[in-house]
Amino acid sequence: TKNNNLAETDEIADLLSSLPKEKSWRSGYVYRYQGFWCPEKQVPAVIAFQKHFLAQKTDTIIVTMPKSGTTWLKALAFSIMNRAKYTPSSSPLNSVNPHDLVPFCEYGLYANNQIPDLSTFPSPRMFATHLPYPSLPDSIKDSGCRVVYLCRNPFDNFISMWHFLSKARDESLGPLSLEDCFDGFCNGLGGFGPFFDHVLGYWRESLKRPNEVLFLTFEDMKEDINSQMKRLAEFLGCPFSLEEEVDGVVEGISKMCSFGNLKDKEINKTGRFHPYFENKTFFRKGEVGDWVNYITPEMVDRLNKIMEQKLAGSGLKF
Ligand code: A3P
């Protein structure tokens, strides 16, 4: 691991002063960098990631909008890829939070002015990011490595984000108003948003390059986790064999990674993944449709109209 040099740090300060910014719902500001809203502290990390990350063809990159089910997908992808090494009972997931097994580039690896040496990273290499497609490092687009994208119904995504930010938010800011937050979300605000640009970027890429970009939804995974896991394993180049299916390997992994199981692990009740986030905030309810308990019919109309407009002609539906 090397430190970013000072010249780069100065350049970043100049850049930040030239970008549009808004007050963050959590702490500090978010900056509009390359068309998406990037949390202040993540801007230098994103730039370092873009500049220094070199993807290998055998890499897997997990991509999501925050609160789409990243934690779940990390657990599943890690378990599927490493199933020759670990059974559910010997899995590191018993004592390590998924975010520490599959690190974020902009929150983990490249944060705090670090440039990691990834040459010794355990194989198969898996990384995660919230960056929108156009902003991914070139080598991720060109190396033929695998990108797994997971998205979630925008209503649930929004409600999950509102709960999460309400907890992670600087106390001095007071409670986060649901109405203000919703208004911002509809206007494209929120870390790594606009939401629909993010989703559509990966949706279109998955249609163009289905062997390299897999598009999953939280809802499909909730409805039939085993069939989605089979899709994922096939995409990752390690399909479940008939024997494994008969032996219940698929069910073993899906149970291991289930909300109820992971939420109750000691590390996920008491640990911290990052200075700002407690592990337990990544496990709230894990359901589809919880938004109906929070969102008024007027709000539903407003977001439905935006969704209709944004998704028109794309073939994507929620
Ligand atoms: P809710 O707030 O709706 O409960 P992310 O991992 O991208 O931060 O997303 C967090 C959301 O995924 C939260 O949604 C969380 O409860 C849910 N989640 C976390 N682990 C899960 C799992 N194993 N199965 C299903 N949902 C899960």
Side-chain angles (χ1 to χ4, degrees):
T1 301
K2 290 192 300 196
N3 263 320
N4 234 338
N5 65 40
L6 193 65
E8 254 170 38
T9 318
D10 283 349
E11 275 167 38
I12 284 163
D14 284 349
L15 171 74
L16 284 183
S17 65
S18 73
L19 295 177
K21 66 175 178 180
E22 290 280 342
K23 276 244 153 76
S24 160
W25 289 317
R26 179 168 52 74
S27 142
Y29 287 89
V30 288
Y31 286 86
R32 187 143 186 162
Y33 173 68
Q34 299 184 337
F36 71 93
W37 290 104
C38 189
E40 186 169 351
K41 291 226 167 86
Q42 272 51 67
V43 174
V46 165
I47 292 172
F49 173 41
Q50 291 175 326
K51 200 164 161 184
H52 299 286
F53 183 79
L54 269 186
Q56 299 172 359
K57 194 174 170 16
T58 47
D59 288 345
T60 301
I61 318 289
I62 303 251
V63 191
T64 56
M65 268 297 273
K67 315 329 290 173
S68 300
T70 326
T71 317
W72 190 16
L73 179 58
K74 283 181 174 184
L76 288 166
F78 178 88
S79 304
I80 290 173
M81 287 292 260
N82 290 289
R83 68 188 190 271
K85 231 190 283 178
Y86 306 116
T87 63
S89 58
S90 70
S91 169
L93 284 166
N94 289 298
S95 55
V96 184
N97 177 268
H99 295 293
D100 287 320
L101 290 177
V102 183
F104 278 117
C105 293
E106 65 279 3
Y107 282 97
L109 297 171
Y110 292 86
N112 305 315
N113 294 326
Q114 303 296 308
I115 299 169
D117 172 11
L118 299 177
S119 62
T120 54
F121 201 85
S123 172
R125 305 200 312 175
M126 297 184 105
F127 306 104
T129 180
H130 290 314
L131 284 195
Y133 188 78
S135 293
L136 287 180
D138 290 338
S139 68
I140 295 184
K141 300 175 191 166
D142 302 338
S143 62
C145 74
R146 297 181 177 95
V147 172
V148 182
Y149 186 75
L150 172 62
C151 79
R152 189 175 191 189
N153 175 304
F155 289 96
D156 279 328
N157 199 295
F158 167 73
I159 285 300
S160 183
M161 178 180 82
W162 175 72
H163 278 286
F164 182 77
L165 293 172
S166 297
K167 283 183 206 127
R169 176 174 163 92
D170 279 355
E171 254 175 51
S172 62
L173 295 174
L176 178 61
S177 143
L178 180 82
E179 288 70 25
D180 291 352
C181 195
F182 186 76
D183 187 55
F185 185 79
C186 287
N187 290 323
L189 263 174
F192 306 92
F195 178 91
F196 293 106
D197 293 354
H198 201 281
V199 172
L200 281 173
Y202 286 96
W203 169 249
R204 295 201 173 109
E205 206 54 33
S206 75
L207 297 179
K208 269 192 247 163
R209 296 193 293 130
N211 294 330
E212 285 155 10
V213 182
L214 178 69
F215 191 94
L216 299 171
T217 74
F218 186 93
E219 294 72 31
D220 285 346
M221 283 172 34
K222 285 295 288 191
E223 192 174 294
D224 185 352
I225 184 60
N226 292 342
S227 74
Q228 295 303 310
M229 278 175 58
K230 287 188 215 164
R231 262 185 90 199
L232 178 57
E234 223 171 290
F235 175 79
L236 293 174
C238 50
F240 291 103
S241 66
L242 206 59
E243 198 184 344
E244 282 182 308
E245 287 194 34
V246 172
D247 285 351
V249 174
V250 186
E251 284 81 4
I253 295 178
S254 67
K255 269 194 197 140
M256 173 70 199
C257 299
S258 69
F259 179 81
N261 188 55
L262 290 184
K263 183 187 164 85
D264 283 345
K265 300 284 170 202
E266 198 53 35
I267 184 69
N268 296 329
K269 291 202 270 195
T270 55
R272 230 168 220 288
F273 134 75
H274 199 270
Y276 332 119
F277 309 124
E278 291 176 286
N279 288 345
K280 67 176 178 214
T281 54
F282 289 95
F283 303 92
R284 189 185 65 93
K285 221 167 179 182
E287 281 172 11
V288 173
D290 185 43
W291 61 268
V292 297
N293 299 312
Y294 300 89
I295 294 189
T296 64
E298 292 73 34
M299 292 159 103
V300 174
D301 275 352
R302 181 174 173 196
L303 188 51
N304 268 336
K305 285 209 180 88
I306 296 172
M307 176 149 65
E308 231 169 75
Q309 226 177 33
K310 295 276 187 185
L311 300 185
S314 70
L316 178 63
K317 279 206 180 83
F318 285 102

